[in-house]
Amino acid sequence: MYSEFEKIQKEALNSIDLALDLSMLDEVKNTYLSKKGIVVSLMSRLKDLAPEDKKAYGQGVNELKKVIEDALFDRQRVLADVALNQKLNEEKIDISLPGKTFNTAPMHPFHLIKDEISEIFLGMGYTIAEGNEIEEDYFNFTLLNMPENHPARDMQDSFYINKNTLLRTHTSPVQAREMQKHKNTPLKIISPGKVYRRDDDDNTHSHQFGQVEGLVIAESLSLGHLKATLDLFVKKMFGPKREIRFRASYFPFTEPSVEVDVSCHECNGKGCATCKGTGWIEILGAGMVNPHVLEMNGYDIQKFTGFAFGIGIERVAMLRFGIDDIRRFYQNDVRFLDQFPKR
Ligand code: DAH
């Protein structure tokens, strides 16, 4: 009888050792320990035994059961480990593999320069003001000292939506809107955005282009403040060797008005094809805010003075990158666009 137990135990331990995974081990467990399993059937023989044999037999079966249970438990731990490791191996991510790259487009040169101009002025303490691309005639012209029938309106032939509404011809109406909003308090804003004119498109003109308007209002401002501001801007944008010069000009909303030239980056001011032999390249219009404009927009001209400027974004980008034709900005030609830095 005991040799029978030994035989069963040997077979059981052997099967347990041979179980290669948890489901095989489960089968072994069922064979020996389930309700219809071998251990239960051994136990069921107990009732047929002579009373003096029962104790030893019962002990024998219980020991057998315990040995099988322990072996199952140990093997179960080993196999669970194996299963876990296998799963981890299968699901392993190889972090040394290079990532999947996907192609990002470079920044458009218009936006590169628009952002760069904005950052230079933000660095000088300006804040950004938003304007409207669809603007009232009143803000686009009248409040900037160009009343109806003023000849200066002709210089900015326009897209009218109705009698009083048009696509703004410049970013300067933001000046009027900001002054109206902040009546009689100091101001220091820039406003980048799109403007529209009924221009014939050629290599330096487009019916749509970008400007950055600038406006500072404070007590006792002079042309010197304007010059220092624009000099710093030009040196940051085009390099420390660039100089600026003011040329007298006319804008209805500034008095005096100036065109600002930068010394030619190609020839350093000696004169070459890029600057058409003059040594200078025109980059923007500016001036001291006309007191009449300050007054119309709610400022006390005994106290406040202002300066303003309007920078053409494409113009600056063309000079910075050596772009020969403004139309390239809008044609969406990847061969052109791919040449600019990614950010
Ligand atoms: N608005 C002018 C234009 O589009 C540019 C300009 C000139 C803006 C002088 C200004 C300024 O703020 O002071 O031609």
Side-chain angles (χ1 to χ4, degrees), residues 38 82 88 91 120 231 271 286 302 321:
I38 291 170
V82 170
L88 287 175
E91 291 172 7
I120 291 171
D231 189 56
Q302 298 309 317
F321 297 126

Side-chain angles (χ1 to χ4, degrees), residues 104-148:
T104 50
M107 282 283 277
H108 192 284
F110 176 87
H111 292 287
L112 271 175
I113 291 299
K114 185 195 74 178
D115 290 354
E116 213 174 292
I117 295 172
S118 301
E119 267 156 35
I120 291 171
F121 284 102
L122 289 175
M124 291 191 239
Y126 287 68
T127 53
I128 292 182
E130 302 237 9
N132 313 335
E133 284 180 31
I134 297 175
E135 187 53 283
E136 287 169 43
D137 178 299
Y138 186 58
F139 282 92
N140 194 80
F141 292 126
T142 311
L143 287 173
L144 296 170
N145 214 18
M146 285 180 271
E148 232 175 298

Side-chain angles (χ1 to χ4, degrees), residues 7 18 41 55-56 100 102 122 131 134 145 148 158 161 166 199 205 215 218 255 258 269 277 294 306 317 333 336:
K7 189 169 161 258
L18 289 176
S41 80
K55 189 176 176 200
K100 284 185 189 148
F102 71 105
L122 289 175
I134 297 175
N145 214 18
E148 232 175 298
S158 322
I161 290 163
L166 72 162
D199 265 339
H205 293 89
L215 172 68
E255 181 59 36
V258 291
L294 285 173
D333 185 335
F336 170 71

Side-chain angles (χ1 to χ4, degrees), residues 108 325-334 336-337:
H108 192 284
D325 190 328
I326 196 170
R327 287 168 293 197
R328 294 196 197 285
F329 285 91
Y330 321 115
Q331 284 161 339
N332 232 3
D333 185 335
V334 187
F336 170 71
L337 298 174

Side-chain angles (χ1 to χ4, degrees), residues 7 120 156-157 181 264 297-298 303 305 327 331 336:
K7 189 169 161 258
I120 291 171
Q156 301 189 355
D157 232 351
K181 211 190 290 173
C264 179
N297 289 289
K303 190 169 171 200
T305 50
R327 287 168 293 197
Q331 284 161 339
F336 170 71

Side-chain angles (χ1 to χ4, degrees), residues 144 156 169-173 175 195 197 209 211-215 251 253-254 257-258 284-289 307-311:
L144 296 170
Q156 301 189 355
T169 58
H170 51 177
T171 44
S172 301
Q175 289 192 29
V195 302
R197 288 184 201 175
F209 58 100
Q211 291 188 329
V212 178
E213 193 73 18
L215 172 68
F251 300 104
F253 36 92
T254 44
S257 303
V258 291
L284 58 93
M288 302 307 292
V289 179
F307 67 73
F309 50 87
I311 305 171

